[in-house]
């Protein structure tokens, strides 16, 4: 983190032909709240020292005994030890231990609890749905329309056809004065309504760090306007994601999602979405499902559940990465255990789609010799260098794929294929009472082909800052591929098209919906 911040400061000074002090002040002006602690870095930054030198000198980066010196730029040749070093370290340590303050301890504990359990921070009635967008709020699940009533939430079957109020938050309620029939009964009865639930990892949560945060030629106050929202959503953007996205994207592409297509197919599905994903999660999702899933087997509509942990079972930052990968036996046990739990909680008539792991060799093949956003100004940081830096720090998102070692990349893909075959066999052989089960390969190859036909380049399908996750474009294209497969091979999963969608939209608008 220190290296990234100092790199941006140095490049801002270079780009605007200013002093480093002026560059820090410029960056502070850009960032909401003005994180003045960056001023402490000033005395150590000058044109002769790179970000690694500064951060090692401040002891925010260190070299453990017997370990290599981790650096993104040329190895440090200078050192500086400012007089206020102790004050700086104390300031950083104080900031990181803010939860030790008695007045903030309870708040911190609550935030940790909701993040660990994938639950909304603001949820007055405890039904796992919220009227607040971030902190696992309605960016992650359908928005609650009455947070004071635990029987009102997205996805439930309507109470008395919602003649008097909207019990399922789909915006359809009241009675048609012409014939006395409730609108929900008239337009949604027999419509095969169903929600969509994603059980996934950081790709499903749609992890994204805006490249303009690190690209000084594009940087402005507008670049950081969404910083508070991004941090309170764990640097995830589920509101634009492939499965549960519902807002127009502001992060480099368009939004197309399984939820939006289900909603378009049947307007009664409005707001019935849940994204139970976590950065870094592996195939063992049982705890996340137990704590985060909001589905009542007796009261709610069926759901389409997407089970997609596409990389973390083979991805880790360990030195001996192969030894820390999930084995086929572990994968079988983890997934079957999760499916059995789902069978005891999903309404009858639900569907589960298991998504195979990605072939991550795509990453090195298409990115390794390209310049990272930090390296575009001076042509000095490639993705290969970034991957090596993260691997040295043992924080690589995937040391098995983000490596110049071709043999290791192949072995990682071999294990990913083995785990995908486990999922395929589960879909073929396992039977459950309340849902049918399907398998599909992760559609990276088809996505790349579609993008090439549109004149795009393969590297544009990967997040530019981390060089690892699918980009907004890849997510949108992947939705179309998944939808077409389901439409032709599993039409029962998607349900029927509702012939009353236009009438529903008209009533919704008349009632002041938005």
């Amino acid at each position: 983190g220190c290296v990234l911040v100092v790199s941006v400061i140095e490049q801002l000074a270079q780009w605007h032909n200013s002093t480093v002090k002026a560059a820090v002040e410029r960056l502070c002006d850009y960032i909401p709240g003005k994180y003045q602690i960056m001023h402490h870095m000033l005395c150590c930054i000058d044109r002769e020292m790179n970000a690694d030198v500064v951060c090692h000198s401040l002891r925010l980066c260190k070299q453990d005994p017997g370990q290599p010196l981790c650096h993104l730029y040329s190895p440090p040749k200078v050192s500086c030890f400012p007089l206020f070093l102790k004050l700086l370290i104390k300031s950083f340590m104080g900031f990181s231990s803010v939860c030790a303050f008695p007045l903030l301890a309870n708040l911190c504990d609550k935030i940790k609890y909701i993040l660990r359990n994938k639950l909304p921070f603001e949820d007055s009635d405890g039904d796992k749905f919220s009227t607040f967008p971030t902190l696992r709020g309605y960016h992650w699940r359908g928005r609650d329309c009455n947070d004071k009533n635990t029987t009102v939430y997205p996805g439930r079957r309507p109470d008395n056809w919602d003649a008097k109020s909207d019990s399922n938050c789909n915006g359809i309620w009241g009675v048609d004065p012409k014939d006395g029939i409730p609108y929900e009964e008239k337009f949604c009865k027999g419509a095969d309504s169903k929600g969509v639930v994603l059980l996934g990892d950081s790709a499903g949560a749609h992890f994204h760090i805006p490249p303009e945060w690190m690209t000084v030629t594009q940087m402005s106050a507008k670049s950081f306007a969404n910083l508070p929202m991004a941090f309170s959503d764990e640097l995830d953007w589920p509101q634009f994601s492939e499965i549960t996205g519902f807002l127009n994207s502001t992060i480099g592409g368009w939004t197309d999602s399984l939820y939006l297509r289900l909603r378009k197919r049947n307007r009664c599905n409005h707001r019935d979405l849940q994204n139970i994903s976590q950065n870094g999660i592996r195939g063992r999702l049982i705890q996340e499902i137990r704590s985060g899933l909001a589905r009542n087997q007796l009261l709610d509509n069926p759901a389409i559940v997407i089970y997609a942990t596409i990389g973390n079972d083979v991805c880790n930052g360990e030195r001996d990465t192969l030894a820390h990968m999930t084995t086929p036996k572990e994968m079988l046990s983890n997934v079957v255990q999760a499916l059995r739990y789902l069978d005891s909680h999903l309404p009858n008539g639900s569907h589960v789609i298991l998504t195979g792991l990605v072939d991550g060799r795509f990453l090195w093949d298409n990115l390794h010799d390209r310049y990272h956003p930090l390296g575009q100004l001076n042509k000095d940081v490639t993705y290969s260098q970034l991957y090596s830096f993260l691997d040295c720090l043992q924080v690589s998102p995937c040391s098995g794929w983000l490596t110049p070692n071709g043999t290791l990349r192949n072995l990682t893909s071999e294990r990913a294929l083995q785990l995908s075959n486990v999922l395929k066999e589960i879909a073929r052989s396992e039977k459950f009472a309340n849902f049918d089960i399907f398998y599909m390969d992760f559609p990276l190859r088809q996505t790349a082909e579609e993008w090439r036909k549109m004149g795009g380049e393969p590297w544009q399908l990967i997040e530019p800052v981390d060089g690892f996750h699918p980009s907004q474009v890849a997510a949108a294209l992947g939705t179309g591929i998944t939808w077409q497969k389901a439409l032709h091979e599993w039409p029962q999963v998607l349900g029927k098209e509702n012939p009353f969608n236009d009438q529903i939209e008209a009533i919704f608008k008349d009632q002041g919906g938005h």
Side-chain angles (χ1 to χ4, degrees):
C2 175
V3 169
L4 296 180
V5 171
V6 175
S7 296
V8 168
I9 291 171
E10 289 178 329
Q11 291 184 30
L12 271 174
Q14 178 184 346
W15 180 247
H16 292 282
N17 195 25
S18 71
T19 64
V20 172
K21 183 177 186 298
V24 174
E25 290 171 347
R26 184 186 298 273
L27 184 58
C28 286
D29 286 338
Y30 289 164
I31 296 176
K34 294 193 175 187
Y35 295 98
Q36 298 295 337
I37 198 161
M38 286 191 296
H39 282 288
H40 291 313
M41 295 181 180
L42 274 175
C43 87
C44 264
I45 307 177
D46 61 42
R47 298 301 178 85
E48 306 302 321
M49 302 173 62
N50 63 35
D52 293 305
V53 176
V54 173
C55 294
H56 279 275
S57 297
L58 293 176
R59 297 181 184 171
L60 294 174
C61 295
K62 61 187 176 67
Q63 181 182 9
D64 291 334
Q67 296 297 318
L69 178 69
C70 299
H71 57 91
L72 188 59
Y73 300 92
S74 300
K77 297 177 181 178
V78 200
S79 66
C80 87
F81 295 92
L83 295 175
F84 58 77
L85 181 60
K86 290 183 179 180
L87 175 62
L88 171 74
I89 303 245
K90 183 177 180 181
S91 299
F92 269 94
M93 294 304 291
F95 182 78
S96 65
S97 60
V98 68
C99 290
F101 290 102
L103 294 177
L104 296 176
N106 289 339
L107 178 64
C108 289
D109 287 343
K110 183 177 179 182
I111 291 176
K112 290 175 185 176
Y113 176 82
I114 63 105
L115 295 181
R116 184 171 62 249
N117 292 283
K118 321 298 169 293
L119 298 173
F121 180 77
E122 289 193 10
D123 179 15
S124 299
D125 55 13
D127 59 10
K128 300 185 179 181
F129 294 90
S130 178
T131 58
F132 189 75
T134 62
L135 289 172
R136 293 283 167 169
Y138 68 75
H139 281 174
W140 300 82
R141 303 166 187 260
R143 185 167 54 185
D144 203 339
C145 52
N146 186 345
D147 205 26
K148 297 180 180 179
N149 188 336
T150 190
T151 66
V152 176
Y153 54 84
R156 68 162 293 170
R157 294 198 298 272
D159 179 25
N160 194 29
W161 291 115
D162 284 358
K164 295 184 178 180
S165 62
D166 189 3
S167 68
N168 57 12
C169 302
N170 68 356
I172 307 167
W173 63 279
V175 175
D176 191 336
K178 297 177 183 177
D179 52 23
I181 300 175
Y183 291 120
E184 183 98 37
E185 182 179 6
K186 178 178 286 190
F187 297 139
C188 299
K189 185 178 182 180
D192 198 16
S193 300
K194 58 189 68 176
V196 59
V197 178
L198 173 64
L199 307 174
D201 52 20
S202 52
H206 208 36
F207 184 86
H208 167 79
I209 299 175
E212 55 269 25
W213 289 3
M214 298 183 187
T215 311
V216 297
T217 57
Q218 303 172 14
M219 196 174 290
S220 66
K222 185 179 178 181
S223 305
F224 293 95
N226 52 19
L227 185 146
M229 181 191 71
F231 274 107
S232 56
D233 266 337
E234 304 155 61
L235 290 177
D236 296 322
W237 308 72
Q239 68 272 32
F240 307 140
S241 67
E242 179 176 352
I243 303 299
T244 64
F246 62 93
L247 293 178
N248 290 331
S249 171
T250 58
I251 57 172
W254 64 101
T255 300
D256 189 5
S257 70
L258 184 60
Y259 162 72
L260 283 177
R261 292 191 177 220
L262 285 169
R263 183 189 182 281
K264 183 178 181 181
R265 193 172 179 83
N266 179 6
R267 180 60 180 70
C268 302
N269 292 330
H270 181 55
R271 290 190 185 172
D272 195 356
L273 63 102
Q274 298 179 52
N275 190 321
I276 308 172
S277 298
Q278 179 183 349
N279 299 337
I281 198 68
R282 301 174 79 159
R284 183 172 171 78
L285 281 167
I286 186 64
Q287 180 56 44
E288 283 68 28
I289 299 170
R290 282 175 175 158
S291 59
L293 180 67
R295 214 66 178 180
N296 187 300
Q297 198 164 42
L298 299 178
L299 298 178
D300 297 351
N301 285 321
I304 302 172
V305 178
I306 313 297
Y307 195 109
T309 54
I310 66 170
N312 289 322
D313 285 282
V314 296
C315 286
N316 53 70
E318 302 290 343
R319 292 281 185 232
D320 187 2
T321 179
L322 292 171
H324 289 82
M325 294 178 184
T326 301
T327 66
K329 183 178 179 180
E330 290 169 338
M331 191 72 164
L332 176 63
S333 174
N334 292 341
V335 175
V336 169
Q337 184 182 9
L339 292 174
R340 287 173 180 163
Y341 182 86
L342 288 174
D343 198 33
S344 65
H345 286 75
L346 290 178
N348 188 263
S350 295
H351 312 276
V352 173
I353 299 174
L354 302 178
T355 303
L357 279 70
V358 69
D359 184 349
R361 289 175 292 192
F362 184 92
L363 302 169
W364 180 269
D365 291 347
N366 289 285
L367 286 177
H368 75 276
D369 56 354
R370 296 191 58 82
Y371 289 112
H372 184 267
L374 280 178
Q376 289 175 7
L377 181 64
N378 296 310
K379 308 302 180 192
D380 57 352
V381 179
T382 64
Y383 282 95
S384 176
Q385 289 170 263
L386 175 72
Y387 295 157
S388 295
F389 180 52
L390 297 177
D391 190 53
C392 179
L393 294 170
Q394 297 184 47
V395 295
S396 171
C398 196
S399 53
W401 275 325
L402 308 183
T403 172
N405 187 332
T407 300
L408 183 54
R409 297 199 302 270
N410 290 336
L411 288 172
T412 303
S413 288
E414 184 180 313
R415 176 61 61 85
L417 180 60
Q418 291 171 359
L419 299 183
S420 295
N421 286 335
V422 169
L423 297 173
K424 190 181 297 186
E425 178 59 23
I426 290 173
R428 188 194 68 80
S429 60
E430 296 286 339
K431 304 298 178 186
F432 298 91
N434 289 306
F435 58 82
D436 47 12
I437 186 167
F438 306 91
Y439 170 84
M440 68 172 291
D441 290 320
F442 186 82
L444 180 59
R445 180 181 56 80
Q446 301 99 305
T447 301
E449 290 174 359
E450 289 293 321
W451 187 231
R452 284 192 185 97
K453 291 176 184 176
M454 298 169 67
E457 296 288 341
W459 57 267
Q460 295 169 316
L461 299 176
I462 305 301
E463 278 291 323
V465 172
D466 60 60
F468 180 64
H469 293 92
S471 68
Q472 184 68 32
V473 168
L477 291 173
T479 296
I481 293 168
T482 301
W483 183 265
Q484 288 302 315
K485 181 176 179 64
L487 202 61
H488 290 100
E489 298 183 26
W490 325 312
Q492 71 273 31
V493 171
L494 305 179
K496 298 175 292 187
E497 190 158 359
N498 193 331
F500 301 111
N501 280 333
D502 291 342
Q503 293 96 315
I504 294 171
E505 204 65 44
I507 293 295
F508 187 53
K509 289 178 180 176
D510 286 345
Q511 294 176 340
H514 55 83

